[in-house]
Structures are given as C-alpha cells and as structure tokens.
Amino acid sequence: MLEIVTLVLGSVGTNAYIVADALSREAVVIDPAWDGEVIGEEARRRGWHIRQVWLTHAHFDHIGGIAALVRGIQPAPVIALHPADRSIYAAGGGAAYFGMRIETPPEPTVQLQHGQHLEMGDRIFEVRHCPGHTPGHVIFYCAAEKVVFSGDVIFWGSIGRTDLPGGNYDLLIHSIQTQILSLPNDTRLLSGHGGETTVGVEREDNPFLG
Ligand SMILES: [Zn+2]
Ligand SMILES: [Zn+2]
C-alpha cells in the first residue's frame, strides 16, 4: 500500500507529492516544486527514504526544489524526465520568462518513455506521454491504487495552459482524451495545482471537454 503526502509549495502553489511504500519506507517525490529542504524534512520526519524523483514536466514551478532536495541524500536519487522536456529543464524551467530563477538541478538520470513501467515498492506506475502543456509532459498512473499524477495536463474543472513555449492546445485536448479519459471513472486525479478530483468528475463536468 502506498501513502501519499501533498505539499503545496512555491509562488504559484504547486503540488509536490511524496509517495511512499508503507512496508519498505522507500519514497518517490513527484514534482519537487520548491523548498526542497522542506520536502526532505517531511520525508525524514516520517522515516521515509527518498530514492527517486519523477517529473511530470520541466517547468520551473515543478523542478525548483530538486537541487536542495537531493543535496542531502545518499545515494543520490534517480531523476526521471521525458527527453522532450530536456531543453526546458536545461533553461531553468522557463523561470526567467517570469522574472524568477531556480537553483540549477542535477541532470536527469532516467529518460522516461510512453508505456514505461516504474516501480514503487510492490506497485507499478505506467508512464503515459501527454504532450500539449509541454512537449515532454508525462503522467504517472497506478492502476492498483486507482490514482494518476497528472501534472499540468488537467485540473479540477480546468486544463493546462498552452500559451507557453512548446504548448499546443489541440495536442493537449488529444492527450486528455486518449490518456486520461481512457482511465476508469473512479481513478483519483492528483494534479500539479489545486484540489483532487477524479476522471469521472472531469468527464462529466470539465467545461473544456465537450
Ligand atoms: Zn507547467
Ligand atoms: Zn505548474
């Protein structure tokens, strides 16, 4: 069984998730948004060991905490990113566009691909490529836990913006329809900003999905 802790961090209120296997106490951080030392301290307080960092995409508000998070951890956690977001990652996540800067994170060590399986304790997460918000955006789906970490693809009653470099509205809608609305209605959607929702609720009520 997995335990999930949500921390809302940074100037645009990004959800950073710590996902831990209750048995082994090993943990993954999905999108270390900001304040990496706060994320690390939360894991330590719970007796969890952070082994991996999975990134839905490379915008600064999702990667800003990586450098401070991994600094204190031995062995260094895996950092997993889709290669199509490498250029955004190398450019500091686009922080300069918003007049901000982040501490430069270490290079990713795992290149995510569509259909890849990632292990977390005895659970398997499927990587699904969902371009549109950024070219290399992925989501992490665990069928056994009925949960998907959806980053900035879809939110409670909204969808990701597509006006930033590499954004594409039609592609985003296509990604949502093929990769998210294809999941069971009772799948929890834990997104990059705002509260939790489900696939079924968004299928019914999301005004952007007619
Ligand atoms: Zn984003
Ligand atoms: Zn975001």
Side-chain angles (χ1 to χ4, degrees):
M1 199 199 125
L2 298 182
E3 295 181 43
I4 301 170
V5 169
T6 309
L7 300 171
V8 182
L9 300 170
S11 58
V12 290
T14 305
N15 294 323
Y17 297 100
I18 313 176
V19 184
D21 175 44
L23 209 59
S24 68
R25 312 190 81 72
E26 300 204 340
V28 172
V29 178
I30 299 177
D31 290 353
W34 215 255
D35 298 329
E37 60 287 343
V38 171
I39 302 170
E41 184 50 40
E42 182 68 28
R44 266 189 297 281
R45 201 172 64 75
R46 294 169 180 269
W48 295 346
H49 306 287
I50 295 169
R51 303 288 191 223
Q52 307 182 64
V53 173
W54 298 348
L55 303 172
T56 61
H57 66 299
H59 278 156
F60 74 97
D61 60 309
H62 296 254
I63 68 170
I66 296 175
L69 172 66
V70 303
R71 185 177 295 121
I73 303 176
Q74 285 297 336
V78 159
I79 300 175
L81 177 70
H82 191 284
D85 262 23
R86 276 300 277 272
S87 60
I88 296 175
Y89 191 87
Y97 187 84
F98 297 94
M100 305 178 75
R101 59 184 299 277
I102 61 167
E103 190 181 349
T104 304
E107 289 292 301
T109 50
V110 168
Q111 309 225 358
L112 296 173
Q113 300 172 30
H114 182 75
Q116 185 174 352
H117 286 175
L118 300 171
E119 287 181 23
M120 167 78 261
D122 61 353
R123 296 306 198 205
I124 301 288
F125 283 80
E126 178 192 343
V127 176
R128 293 180 161 220
H129 186 208
C130 289
H133 176 68
T134 62
H137 200 300
V138 297
I139 61 173
F140 304 105
Y141 172 53
C142 181
E145 296 277 338
K146 297 185 175 185
V147 65
V148 62
F149 293 90
S150 58
D152 287 0
V153 172
I154 186 169
F155 306 112
W156 180 23
S158 187
I159 60 171
R161 60 191 286 185
T162 53
D163 59 323
L164 295 170
N168 182 315
Y169 183 84
D170 292 340
L171 200 51
L172 180 68
I173 296 293
H174 179 76
S175 290
I176 293 170
Q177 278 167 349
T178 56
Q179 303 304 325
I180 289 183
L181 298 187
S182 56
L183 301 175
N185 277 339
D186 60 352
T187 307
R188 298 165 66 196
L189 271 170
L190 299 182
S191 58
H193 304 271
E196 176 174 345
T197 181
T198 67
V199 169
V201 164
E202 298 314 310
R203 192 193 307 281
E204 281 294 305
D205 295 342
N206 193 306
F208 294 89
L209 308 174

